[in-house]
Amino acid sequence: MSKIVIFGAGGRAGRQAVAEARRRGHDVTAVVRDPARYQDLADAVAGDVTSAAEVAALAAGHDAAVNAAAVYGEGTDPEAFFTGAARALVTGLARAGVDRLVAVGLSALLPAADGTSVLDSIPAEFRPFCLAHAAGLEVLRTEGAGLDWVYVSPAGDFDHDGERTGRYEIGEHGDLARKISYADFAVALLDEIENPRHHRVHLAVA
């Protein structure tokens, strides 16, 4: 059994990661911004993933971390959030002595099989959010050399009504027509914690 801290535990991907980790018998610290909003999430604790000090305090004594935290919508600054979170995780996890980070990513940042960028096919109104995600990934690539991170995204999109099958496949290319359930995506996340096979790369899961 491992101790795993999961940031963004209140979101759809985060909730499934918490459920999968607990299903496997791990000790989970589920971190959300405001636990009062997530009374159905057992033992949720408050934390700010953009604060290195809070990341360090929350991650202390854990074996690995998952980052599923995100912001989107009016009144938010996604680029500041994603770059701030990446820097706080790089710094805070190092302080806590946590080496492994599995980060939930975005399929738009993957190359398509024909060599083009999936981002090129994303509607213009969503591009700023995608580019904000890309800025956070770039922080991991340029500043995360001391951290054993892996950036995991669906190859295409999530199947919001899909159930857990326990099966998935890993690739390198994006395809917006492909889908995966949140539950199976969580299986992939936890497999990368229990048996880290990929390091400092962007994985496509379908």
Side-chain angles (χ1 to χ4, degrees), residues 23-204:
R23 185 197 310 271
R24 300 183 186 204
H26 298 299
D27 185 356
V28 177
T29 299
V31 182
V32 297
R33 295 185 190 92
D34 180 6
R37 293 179 55 198
Y38 302 98
Q39 295 183 6
D40 62 320
L41 188 61
D43 303 321
V45 299
D48 179 2
V49 73
T50 66
S51 165
E54 292 194 31
V55 169
L58 289 162
H62 290 72
D63 302 297
V66 173
N67 181 33
V71 295
Y72 186 77
E74 187 176 349
T76 66
D77 184 345
E79 183 167 355
F81 178 83
F82 288 115
T83 56
R87 289 195 172 96
L89 287 162
V90 167
T91 301
L93 293 179
R95 289 180 189 169
V98 176
D99 296 326
R100 184 62 166 172
L101 169 65
V102 178
V104 175
L106 204 63
S107 60
L109 308 186
L110 290 161
D114 62 4
T116 63
S117 171
V118 173
L119 186 59
D120 293 342
S121 63
I122 299 295
E125 62 266 31
F126 300 121
R127 287 178 65 87
F129 178 75
C130 297
L131 293 173
H133 251 289
L137 174 57
E138 186 61 17
V139 169
L140 290 179
R141 286 174 170 159
T142 59
E143 302 177 26
L147 181 65
D148 184 16
W149 60 267
V150 62
Y151 188 86
V152 185
S153 74
D157 198 1
F158 286 108
D159 179 356
H160 295 271
D161 298 317
E163 298 182 353
R164 186 185 188 277
T165 69
R167 300 188 305 274
Y168 63 91
E169 59 185 46
I170 291 176
E172 300 176 352
H173 299 108
D175 180 351
L176 295 179
R178 304 197 71 184
K179 293 187 177 183
I180 187 169
S181 70
Y182 281 101
D184 283 341
F185 186 74
V187 173
L189 299 181
L190 267 294
D191 283 352
E192 280 295 329
I193 287 177
E194 291 184 344
N195 181 28
R197 295 189 298 130
H198 300 88
H199 310 277
R200 301 183 184 93
V201 294
H202 183 178
L203 300 182

